[in-house]
Amino acid sequence: MRKQKGTMDKVTYNGLTFEPYITHETIQCRINEIAAQINKDYAGKQPLFLCVLTGAFPFAADLFRSVDIDAEISFIRLKSYEGTSTSGKVKEVMGLTEDLTGRDVIIVEDIIDTGATIKKLVEDLKAKNPASIKVATLLLKPESLKHKLEPDYVGFTIEPKFIIGFGLDLDGLARNLRDIYQLRQES
């Protein structure tokens, strides 16, 4: 189900109703703040942004356009979600082709839930001898973490709710919503 552009009303997908949670304007302000910090942290360097597809694409695109430093971007695809819950298994779908030796890498993720995906990705990338690896995530669910992680750049810390929009999906739907919505809890 689609809604009118510019409104933040409830939306329904696959019989589930989602309520407004984080507006596009709020997301953009936070992305600009993260970009300013990355500009400071990587002044004089040329980091490689590594976008975890598919969900992180909107965040990565906006973040990449917001930094003022020279940088490159590449993509990797991992999957650990099925429906509204994590499958608990990380599956690499599309691999990285760039040589990371001596490179500064910024992994760009849409959401860190249990931490399994990002933990495995960081471990795999460390084996490629980068100069550094940092993690930027739009959303972090600290209460859901099953692995000890502290992302370097966090857009928003949220409660363990199921959310959609701005890259986050429900079975492939809702990624193109400009705002972020949370699953409505039935009372």
Side-chain angles (χ1 to χ4, degrees), residues 49-53 56 74-79 90-92 94-96 100 105-110 112 115-128 130 133-136 149:
F49 285 73
L50 183 58
C51 173
V52 180
L53 294 173
S74 189
F75 302 89
I76 190 166
R77 186 165 180 174
L78 304 168
K79 183 178 179 184
V90 178
K91 306 167 190 170
E92 184 172 343
M94 183 175 63
L96 178 68
L100 299 185
V105 176
I106 302 171
I107 300 169
V108 184
E109 181 65 285
D110 56 351
I112 296 177
T117 300
I118 201 69
K119 180 180 181 289
K120 174 152 178 32
L121 181 55
V122 168
E123 288 171 0
D124 289 351
L125 294 180
K126 281 183 179 177
K128 298 182 180 294
I133 298 175
K134 288 194 177 185
V135 175
L149 297 170

Side-chain angles (χ1 to χ4, degrees), residues 3 35-36 38 49 76 91 101 105 109 111 116-117 137 145 150 163 165:
K3 61 180 195 59
I38 289 172
F49 285 73
I76 190 166
K91 306 167 190 170
T101 305
V105 176
E109 181 65 285
I111 187 166
T117 300
T137 185
L145 285 174
E150 290 187 32
I163 54 175

Side-chain angles (χ1 to χ4, degrees), residues 4-168:
Q4 290 184 343
K5 228 177 190 175
T7 64
M8 229 185 133
D9 299 322
K10 294 176 188 170
V11 295
T12 303
Y13 289 91
N14 294 351
L16 299 172
T17 301
F18 294 84
E19 301 172 321
Y21 189 52
I22 305 173
T23 66
H24 182 74
E25 292 75 21
T26 302
I27 295 166
Q28 293 306 310
C29 286
R30 188 65 187 120
I31 288 172
N32 289 335
E33 292 169 358
I34 293 169
Q37 186 60 52
I38 289 172
N39 287 336
K40 287 181 190 173
D41 293 349
Y42 289 91
K45 296 182 179 182
Q46 187 176 331
L48 172 66
F49 285 73
L50 183 58
C51 173
V52 180
L53 294 173
T54 300
F57 174 70
F59 174 47
D62 288 354
L63 181 61
F64 190 69
R65 286 190 302 252
S66 296
V67 295
D68 294 329
I69 56 174
D70 287 332
E72 296 176 54
I73 191 165
S74 189
F75 302 89
I76 190 166
R77 186 165 180 174
L78 304 168
K79 183 178 179 184
S80 64
Y81 261 84
E82 292 174 4
T84 59
S85 61
T86 182
S87 68
K89 296 178 184 171
V90 178
K91 306 167 190 170
E92 184 172 343
V93 178
M94 183 175 63
L96 178 68
T97 57
E98 284 80 4
D99 180 7
L100 299 185
T101 305
R103 299 288 311 266
D104 293 301
V105 176
I106 302 171
I107 300 169
V108 184
E109 181 65 285
D110 56 351
I111 187 166
I112 296 177
D113 197 332
T114 66
T117 300
I118 201 69
K119 180 180 181 289
K120 174 152 178 32
L121 181 55
V122 168
E123 288 171 0
D124 289 351
L125 294 180
K126 281 183 179 177
K128 298 182 180 294
N129 302 311
S132 68
I133 298 175
K134 288 194 177 185
V135 175
T137 185
L138 180 61
L139 302 161
L140 174 66
K141 293 183 183 178
E143 293 175 42
S144 299
L145 285 174
K146 293 183 179 173
H147 302 277
K148 187 174 163 61
L149 297 170
E150 290 187 32
D152 303 278
Y153 309 101
V154 177
F156 303 94
T157 299
I158 64 170
E159 296 175 9
K161 300 178 180 187
F162 187 77
I163 54 175
I164 60 171
F166 203 77
L168 299 146

